[in-house]
Structures are given as C-alpha cells and as structure tokens.
Amino acid sequence: MQTDTSFADFSAHCLSRVERILDEQLPQTGIEPSRLHEAMRYATFNGGKRVRPILVYASGLACSGQPEQLDMAACAVELIHSYSLVHDDLPAMDDDDLRRGKPTCHKAYDEATAILVGDALQSLAFRLLTNGTESPSAETRLRMVRLLATASGSRGMAGGQAMDIDAVDTELSLPELEIMHIHKTGALIRASVQLGAMAAGGNESQQNHLGHYAKAVGLAFQVQDDILDVVSDTHTLGKTQGKDAAANKPTYPGLLGLDGARQKARELLDEALDALAGFGPEADQLRHLARYVVQRVH
C-alpha cells in the first residue's frame, strides 16, 4: 500500500484484502455445524464499510508497517465489530429487524443461532491475533490480545452497551454521553488504530499521538451516527431510521441540537487532524479517514 494512493483506492484495496482473508479464515459452510458457519458468514459478509480494518491498515502505514503485519489485526477487529452488531440487534438489546439493508442475523436465522454467531466470531477474533509469522513478535501479539480484550469487555464496548441500556429514558450531561460512547463505539475504534501501530512496530510517541487521534475519531463517528439517525432515511442507512429517538435514548442531537451536533463533529475532526501534526504524508490516509467519518451519509 502506497502513501500517495487516493483514499478511495486505498479503502477499496483494504476492503478487498480484509474480505479475502476473512473468507479464508471463517469456516466454510460445508463444515459442521454448517448452519452456524453459514450464519457467521452471513453476519460478516453483509456489506459493511470495514472502517475499523481500514483504520488498522492506515495506522500501520503511518508507522511504516507492511500489510502482512496488519492482516490478522484487521480481521480481528472486524470480527469483534460483526459479533457486536449481531448481539446489539437481538430483541433483548436494540430489537432491530434490519442491518445494512438486510434482515438481521436473528431474523434471517433465529435468536439462539445469532447468540452463538456472536460467541463464535468473538472467539475467532482472538484466535487470529495469535496467528502470524515472526512479525509482529509473539510478545507483541500477546499485548495485542490484551488490548483487544480490554476494548471489547466491560471497560470497553460491552460496558458501553450496558451504559447505553441504563441510559434509556434518562437525561445525560455531555460528559456522561461522551463517557458512554468512548466505551461503546470509541473503544474498538481506538483499538483498531492502536493495534495497527503496535503490529507495525510504531514507537511510543507515534502510538501516543495515534491514541489521541483515535479517541477523537471514535467520538466523531458516534456523533455522525446520531446525526444520520435524525436526517437520513431507512433505505440510505440500511437500518431502521429514528430508532434511538423512538427508544428515548440520549443522543448528541438530542442534547446539543442538530446544529450543535454538527459543530461537535467538526471540532472532533479538527482535534483528530491536530493529533497527526507530527506525521508526514504517511498518515494522509488517516487524515482522509477522519474527514470521511464526519462526511459520510450512511
């Protein structure tokens, strides 16, 4: 991957690469239990934007990493993300029928299968992080496993989902809303950036600056999600529009107003770009990705 590649070409290359490797690593549907393996593939290959794997590759590129050093981390974060969406859509959670314009996993199969799909995708993610050649080293891969486990657990994504459930029908302050989303959405986005830097052998200064970038981008992603839930439509989003408002969940537009939420997204974009000030053209894909996060329409 070249630093001077356009963002569209870079994203397409990353998406193609990670989907090829996911196809190799996910069990084939002819292997028993075939229905579970079919559902795992259904949940993974459903038209996702693959933002988190692209972050892994872009962060690794910023630290002079090679794609083969980054592949397993890119696949692992996408598997964790896919598992989280399957569980989020369940009746006990968000109770949604659509995901990326298709029936959610529990609708296409059944609730028990969807729960097992999430369990199996999560397990596979951690197994992939233990795969690899001499680079990254076994010690680095162990640190990566620890990082992803923390980002996925009660002090990260799962904890954020618990906060989100507890926040229904309550009013949160802006700091409380940010803490919730730093966990729920931001933790895995930060992990994607950090895993890319670690796998590429980034130094402490690079990893610190990329951590600041990732925190801002993670919050910006959620702010834009909240905005789109208000201004977009179900067809464009590929999921039920207005779901958060209907469930009386706290959102950035609900707290700040639509214009205030848009201003917040712009501020977070500036913060993310400022964090990359010490990097040269090797971080341009991260810059492009930050702009994409706040300009996307679905």
Side-chain angles (χ1 to χ4, degrees):
M1 289 181 282
Q2 301 296 319
T3 58
D4 58 354
T5 303
S6 75
F7 179 63
D9 288 344
F10 176 79
S11 298
H13 179 78
C14 292
L15 190 148
S16 175
R17 186 178 183 96
V18 78
E19 293 206 343
R20 173 178 58 81
I21 299 168
L22 283 169
D23 183 53
E24 293 171 355
Q25 297 296 330
L26 280 160
Q28 297 296 323
T29 57
I31 300 172
E32 291 293 339
S34 58
R35 191 166 185 271
L36 174 60
H37 292 154
E38 178 186 307
M40 289 168 66
R41 287 177 165 272
Y42 179 87
T44 304
F45 297 110
N46 63 352
K49 297 180 287 292
R50 311 302 193 199
V51 170
R52 290 153 191 82
I54 294 171
L55 278 167
V56 173
Y57 286 117
S59 177
L61 181 62
C63 298
S64 303
Q66 298 302 310
E68 55 270 19
Q69 295 174 283
L70 309 168
D71 289 333
M72 292 301 110
C75 290
V77 294
E78 188 63 14
L79 290 172
I80 292 289
H81 179 55
S82 296
Y83 121 71
S84 74
L85 298 182
V86 171
H87 281 191
D88 283 357
D89 289 335
L90 288 167
M93 296 286 190
D94 290 349
D95 192 16
D96 220 328
D97 295 344
L98 283 178
R99 172 66 65 180
R100 295 164 182 161
K102 297 167 58 178
T104 48
C105 190
H106 70 276
K107 286 294 182 180
Y109 293 88
D110 54 68
E111 288 183 39
T113 299
I115 292 169
L116 292 172
V117 163
D119 295 343
L121 291 177
Q122 181 178 202
S123 299
L124 180 58
F126 288 104
R127 185 174 73 77
L128 292 189
L129 281 186
T130 67
N131 292 355
T133 57
E134 293 181 0
S135 181
S137 67
E139 181 181 355
T140 297
R141 278 182 271 140
L142 181 60
R143 290 171 50 223
M144 291 166 67
V145 167
R146 185 180 299 118
L147 173 66
L148 186 57
T150 301
S152 304
S154 64
R155 298 180 64 183
M157 183 181 67
Q161 180 70 0
M163 293 178 194
D164 188 49
I165 293 168
D166 290 342
V168 173
D169 295 327
T170 66
E171 292 186 10
L172 298 183
S173 66
L174 182 60
E176 288 172 331
L177 186 62
E178 290 191 350
I179 288 171
M180 181 177 80
H181 288 306
I182 282 171
H183 287 74
K184 183 183 177 184
T185 305
L188 192 57
I189 287 178
R190 288 198 312 277
S192 301
V193 173
Q194 292 170 309
L195 287 169
M198 291 171 66
N203 61 43
E204 184 176 354
S205 176
Q206 289 174 318
Q207 293 192 37
N208 286 339
H209 283 95
L210 289 173
H212 292 310
Y213 163 88
K215 181 179 179 181
V217 166
L219 278 176
F221 191 96
Q222 184 60 52
V223 174
Q224 186 65 8
D225 252 13
D226 285 357
I227 291 169
L228 292 175
D229 193 58
V230 175
V231 304
S232 193
D233 56 77
T234 298
H235 176 73
T236 303
L237 288 175
K239 59 182 179 181
T240 307
Q241 184 268 343
K243 190 79 175 182
D244 289 343
N248 203 22
K249 289 185 176 183
T251 65
Y252 283 94
L255 187 63
L256 302 175
L258 195 55
D259 288 342
R262 286 171 170 152
Q263 177 61 29
K264 179 67 174 177
R266 289 191 292 269
E267 291 171 359
L268 288 165
L269 171 60
D270 290 341
E271 187 178 334
L273 296 177
D274 287 345
L276 300 176
F279 291 86
E282 68 276 8
D284 278 350
Q285 303 301 345
L286 286 172
R287 297 182 178 98
H288 292 316
L289 191 50
R291 295 186 183 98
Y292 164 78
V293 160
V294 299
Q295 293 168 358
R296 64 196 169 90
V297 295
H298 60 83

